[in-house]
Amino acid sequence: MINVTLPDGSKREFADGASPLDVAESISKSLAKKALAARVNGELRDLKRPLDGDATVAIVTDKDADGLELIRHDAAHVLAQAVQELFPGTQVTIGPVIDDGFYYDFARKEPFSTDDFEKIEAKMREIVDRDLPIERQVWSKDDAIAHFKSIGEAYKAQIIDDIIPPGEAITLYAHSDQWSDLCRGPHLPSTGKLPKAFKLMKLAGAYWRGDSNNEMLQRVYGTAWANEKDLKEHLHRLEEAEKRDHRKLGRQLDLFHMQEEGKGMVFWHQKGLTLWQVIEAYVRRRLQEAGYVEVRTPQVLERTFWEKSGHWDKYRENMFVCETAEEETLSLKPMNCPGHVQIFKFGQKSYRDLPLRMAEFGACHRYEPSGALHGLMRVRAFTQDDAHIFCREDQIEEETANFIKLASSIHSDFGLERDHISLGTRPEQRAGSEEFWDKAEAQMLNAARAAGVEPVIAEGDGAFYAPKLDFQLKDAIGRSWTCGTIQLDYVLPERLGAEYIAEDGQKHRPVMLHRAILGSLERFIGVLIENYAGAFPMWLSPVQVVVAAISDTAADYAEEAAAELRKAGLRVEVDTRNETINYKVREHSLQKVPVIAVVGAREAEERKLALRRLGSNGQQIITLDEALLSLAEEALPPDLKRRR
RNA sequence: GCCGGCAUAGCUCAGCUGGUAGAGCACCUGAUUUGUAAUCAGGGGGUCACGGGUUCGAGUCCUGUUGCCGGCACCA
């Protein structure tokens, strides 16, 4: 006898060998029908796998997050079977679940085409209709390797060989006798349980085992949902997200453009630059408040300089190098750190000067691989809101914690929600002892916790000389970008000979904290555009108010009102064109101007403004004097608002 | 950099199996002086990304290059 405890706390008895499916059936026929898998003592298991003994059992259906994951995993398997049926000779490799769907990597000489998708999807539906029982099989490692080799699946054989410790058993999941795949499971009880709400999305290349030295496989991405409605909603969300694309909005709102001759370089138009300047001024105030000093270092420096810093050796491929008529070799700075060390080294520094927080809006150039370029998010010329904190070792934690608080406050002032903070730990290739890394990783973790955040551990993602914390923000379609980082560095001060006089009168080596809050102005503006879909809050909006005249009779007053608003510090445009007010409202609304001040004969007469807010079609008629006060107040950056 | 796709007017796009380029918006001109998301009429505008090739003839087919898009790798 097996005692089963259900989620509601009730207990039932079953014969030995009973499975979660029996449990589901004992509860209700409909539950058994909807059941996809079960959580047995917290572990996700196949529905038909017999219970080992007394257990708590929760039936998983497509309403659970677990259920959706199973559906996606099975969709990947069904995709693989469909592809192998349609394209014999194609080898399978791996097919995991990802956000919103799944992918499967195939090895096949001829490229797949998106034209094949329809055919593959039809075959997938056919496999669902076959309702093949999905069976869990336990194999020995050697048998499994021999099996996959015998059927020409070299990649599978290699995975098993590399990943599974010798002697350990592995599981295969078989779609009846038609198809099987190496898999930890669990899976649905049969292919018929897979909802047909799936769709193949895109085709891409991907290196075998994620290593660019390996051959490239063909990756098919798909999405899968519990039902047709969820699928439709997902596709709709993607369409909506596309409208927020910063590259599209950058053109529509006349913020910036890029062109062939300057790959990865931005031409900032007037409105985009205004946004930039507002952001820069805000960050400058926040840094000044937080005890930073601002500096500026040269754009181009001699090769010998970069040799000393170590970049010539380690980073050469990514540097823009140039030669002069006098045969000097120079490089555009790819980062600001070595320059800041020079300023630190200039003259003598005392322990009383520490921590020294040295900031620069530093324009850097990096020769990024062409395939990495992506709108404003990944460019070759960018401006970091960079700073280096020179401090003693015992100041690291406090400085790091304070930095995290400052960065969080700034991100929140911009209305951005952080996805997560990641702690990049020791990479495979690294400098420094294990003790050093143990200590450094603990310092970063403690500092994060002191600032009230629990970082997600990114194994092996640290810099080669020390761990780092990265602030991850998401774009419109869910891609995560690093905006903000703090990295510990003992190496550069050593290399470049930075030192200070301590209380003991001796020279000591400072530690450096590299840190940025926005990351780069370019990327940050890209994220901002997508976050707001171009409809910026008043304080960031390149144009805050458009004064639109209804007819020529109000034109003079419109100019006068605009001049007054400008005097109050607002960014204002006037529209006295010979167009209807409907046309003007539409145009400025599409340009996402937060406030349109409509003025006609009445307003001119009474010295008033009819204010219309973006996104509402009501209006607020107030006197020009009132408007000057209230709009100026509204347009104040968040930090200045707090000071009042 | 690698795999795949795409490239037609300022923008968004149409142009079937090769027969000599089109729409809407934008722009310019004129009329209209307008009350909260497109006033009407007329006009100008394209080496069809660039370079080779096939053909009587190429936007369309082949090929090379560049750029962009989606991934992968990279991002101290």
Side-chain angles (χ1 to χ4, degrees):
Chain A
M1 275 299 173
I2 298 175
N3 290 305
V4 167
T5 310
L6 298 171
D8 64 0
S10 66
K11 292 187 195 311
R12 297 189 186 203
E13 285 197 344
F14 292 89
D16 287 335
S19 70
L21 182 59
D22 298 319
V23 176
E25 267 165 357
S26 81
I27 298 168
S28 79
K29 273 247 150 26
S30 66
L31 181 63
K33 211 169 171 185
K34 280 188 285 188
L36 301 177
R39 273 213 178 267
V40 177
N41 296 327
E43 183 197 353
L44 202 57
R45 289 244 204 154
D46 296 313
L47 210 51
K48 287 188 279 194
R49 182 167 165 194
L51 298 168
D52 311 317
D54 292 355
T56 61
V57 173
I59 303 300
V60 172
T61 69
D62 67 16
K63 296 278 181 292
D64 304 299
D66 287 338
L68 199 51
E69 193 153 315
L70 285 167
I71 285 169
R72 288 170 180 162
H73 200 168
D74 272 80
H77 277 205
V78 169
L79 164 65
Q81 182 180 351
V83 165
Q84 291 201 307
E85 284 184 17
L86 287 167
F87 306 95
T90 303
Q91 290 189 61
V92 291
T93 66
I94 56 160
V97 172
I98 51 172
D99 281 357
D100 300 334
F102 59 93
Y103 68 77
Y104 211 110
D105 286 350
F106 299 100
R108 176 176 179 246
K109 284 212 175 58
E110 305 73 39
F112 290 114
S113 143
T114 46
D115 298 340
D116 298 327
F117 281 4
E118 214 172 305
K119 214 165 41 170
I120 298 171
E121 284 170 0
K123 182 61 83 178
M124 288 172 71
R125 283 192 289 272
E126 188 193 314
I127 293 167
V128 172
D129 287 336
R130 286 182 215 159
D131 197 15
L132 306 169
I134 300 177
E135 289 148 17
R136 179 175 187 268
Q137 305 171 346
V138 181
W139 290 59
S140 79
K141 178 176 172 178
D142 293 343
D143 287 352
I145 292 174
H147 165 70
F148 281 112
K149 277 189 177 158
S150 75
I151 58 171
E153 295 285 2
Y155 291 93
K156 277 288 173 202
Q158 198 189 326
I159 296 175
I160 300 170
D161 202 15
D162 291 357
I163 291 180
I164 311 292
E168 198 165 295
I170 59 164
T171 53
L172 265 63
Y173 277 78
H175 293 173
S176 184
D177 55 356
Q178 296 184 0
W179 188 84
S180 73
D181 194 3
L182 167 74
C183 193
R184 195 177 294 123
H187 274 279
L188 306 179
S190 74
T191 60
K193 292 278 184 192
L194 177 65
K196 287 182 187 168
F198 51 74
K199 185 173 163 58
L200 301 183
M201 303 297 286
K202 55 197 178 192
L203 221 42
Y207 296 107
W208 166 234
R209 315 198 102 184
D211 185 339
S212 59
N213 296 311
N214 289 342
E215 64 273 34
M216 188 156 259
L217 306 169
Q218 296 188 65
R219 178 170 296 179
V220 178
Y221 282 92
T223 187
W225 299 84
N227 53 62
E228 205 57 44
K229 183 171 154 271
D230 289 356
L231 171 63
K232 244 191 209 138
E233 281 173 8
H234 172 66
L235 297 177
H236 181 70
R237 275 196 300 275
L238 288 182
E239 262 173 53
E240 286 302 304
E242 226 171 280
K243 293 181 194 156
R244 308 171 80 98
D245 189 315
H246 73 279
R247 294 164 295 191
K248 201 173 196 147
L249 287 167
R251 183 171 49 235
Q252 284 169 5
L253 304 182
D254 196 15
L255 300 174
F256 67 91
H257 87 269
M258 297 166 105
Q259 60 191 50
E260 273 197 32
E261 299 93 327
K263 290 177 280 297
M265 316 259 168
V266 186
F267 290 77
W268 286 101
H269 299 196
Q270 184 263 122
K271 284 179 185 164
L273 185 64
T274 298
L275 183 53
W276 175 302
Q277 288 168 330
V278 169
I279 294 168
E280 188 179 312
Y282 161 83
V283 172
R284 183 171 280 126
R285 288 193 302 272
R286 295 300 307 267
L287 290 183
Q288 194 252 338
E289 200 177 271
Y292 284 73
V293 294
E294 188 176 340
V295 300
R296 183 154 296 170
T297 58
Q299 211 51 240
V300 188
L301 288 160
E302 273 184 39
R303 169 181 172 161
T304 49
F305 181 82
W306 302 110
E307 282 171 349
K308 277 183 226 154
S309 74
H311 290 94
W312 191 263
D313 253 12
K314 283 227 178 312
Y315 204 71
R316 171 90 177 75
E317 279 182 4
N318 288 283
M319 288 161 68
F320 280 97
V321 175
C322 51
E323 279 182 15
T324 65
E326 293 178 17
E327 290 178 5
E328 292 165 306
T329 307
L330 306 153
S331 172
L332 269 70
K333 69 174 173 187
M335 39 197 89
N336 309 299
C337 344
H340 290 186
V341 176
Q342 306 314 308
I343 296 180
F344 181 87
K345 282 170 63 183
F346 198 84
Q348 268 188 330
K349 292 293 174 294
S350 147
Y351 71 95
R352 297 177 205 275
D353 297 320
L354 305 187
L356 177 57
R357 309 184 190 89
M358 193 184 292
E360 175 173 6
F361 291 92
C364 296
H365 289 79
R366 299 183 187 173
Y367 189 81
E368 302 286 2
S370 59
L373 302 178
H374 182 96
L376 292 178
M377 305 299 200
R378 191 80 182 270
V379 289
R380 285 181 174 164
F382 56 96
T383 300
Q384 295 179 313
D385 64 316
D386 205 0
H388 295 92
I389 302 173
F390 296 87
C391 64
R392 297 190 315 253
E393 221 176 313
D394 62 296
Q395 293 170 321
I396 293 173
E397 273 189 42
E398 190 187 350
E399 285 301 311
T400 304
N402 284 342
F403 168 74
I404 295 170
K405 286 182 206 154
L406 177 65
S408 300
S409 156
I410 289 180
H411 289 158
S412 112
D413 271 356
F414 281 108
L416 297 173
E417 212 171 301
R418 165 166 86 215
D419 192 59
H420 65 276
I421 290 184
S422 69
L423 171 59
T425 59
R426 64 197 80 187
E428 276 184 32
Q429 293 208 341
R430 58 179 179 264
S433 65
E434 293 309 294
E435 296 78 60
F436 160 75
W437 281 92
D438 287 344
K439 191 178 74 181
E441 285 171 7
Q443 279 173 322
M444 297 307 263
L445 191 58
N446 289 340
R449 286 180 177 155
V453 293
E454 188 61 35
V456 174
I457 305 297
E459 216 64 67
D461 262 3
F464 84 97
Y465 50 76
K468 62 174 180 176
L469 289 166
D470 280 341
F471 291 66
Q472 305 289 345
L473 306 179
K474 280 197 173 180
D475 71 10
I477 62 169
R479 283 178 294 219
S480 181
W481 297 95
T482 300
C483 296
T485 182
I486 182 159
Q487 306 176 8
L488 191 53
D489 188 357
Y490 285 84
V491 174
L492 203 62
E494 173 79 37
R495 253 199 106 94
L496 296 177
E499 46 197 23
Y500 65 92
I501 313 292
E503 288 164 282
D504 60 8
Q506 302 297 306
K507 287 177 176 173
H508 287 252
R509 196 69 77 202
V511 176
M512 244 173 125
L513 290 166
H514 306 248
R515 43 106 297 166
I517 291 173
L518 312 181
S520 81
L521 270 295
E522 285 80 357
R523 176 178 291 180
F524 192 76
I525 290 174
V527 170
L528 266 187
I529 293 170
E530 301 206 349
N531 180 66
Y532 287 110
F536 299 109
M538 188 82 160
W539 75 282
L540 288 170
S541 212
V543 177
Q544 294 168 318
V545 183
V546 168
V547 182
I550 290 174
S551 72
D552 283 349
T553 36
D556 288 346
Y557 174 65
E559 295 284 2
E560 189 194 334
E564 291 292 323
L565 287 163
R566 286 195 191 105
K567 248 190 262 171
L570 291 152
R571 298 186 287 274
V572 185
E573 281 183 1
V574 197
D575 189 350
T576 53
R577 291 175 302 172
N578 177 10
E579 296 288 352
T580 62
I581 192 64
N582 285 334
Y583 180 87
K584 292 179 186 178
V585 165
R586 175 182 157 80
E587 190 168 271
H588 301 302
S589 297
L590 288 174
Q591 283 296 306
K592 320 229 181 198
V593 175
V595 177
I596 302 174
V598 175
V599 294
R602 281 204 297 276
E603 285 75 15
E605 174 79 15
E606 297 164 10
R607 295 191 66 78
K608 285 185 173 172
L609 295 177
L611 301 182
R612 181 195 160 106
R613 307 276 161 167
L614 182 59
S616 87
N617 36 23
Q619 58 174 340
Q620 174 199 12
I621 302 174
I622 55 174
T623 65
L624 178 56
D625 290 339
E626 281 169 336
L628 291 174
L629 284 173
S630 68
L631 290 177
E633 169 73 23
E634 201 180 329
L636 228 43
D639 61 318
L640 297 184
K641 235 175 233 178
R642 281 194 291 269
R643 283 187 196 172
R644 317 194 84 204

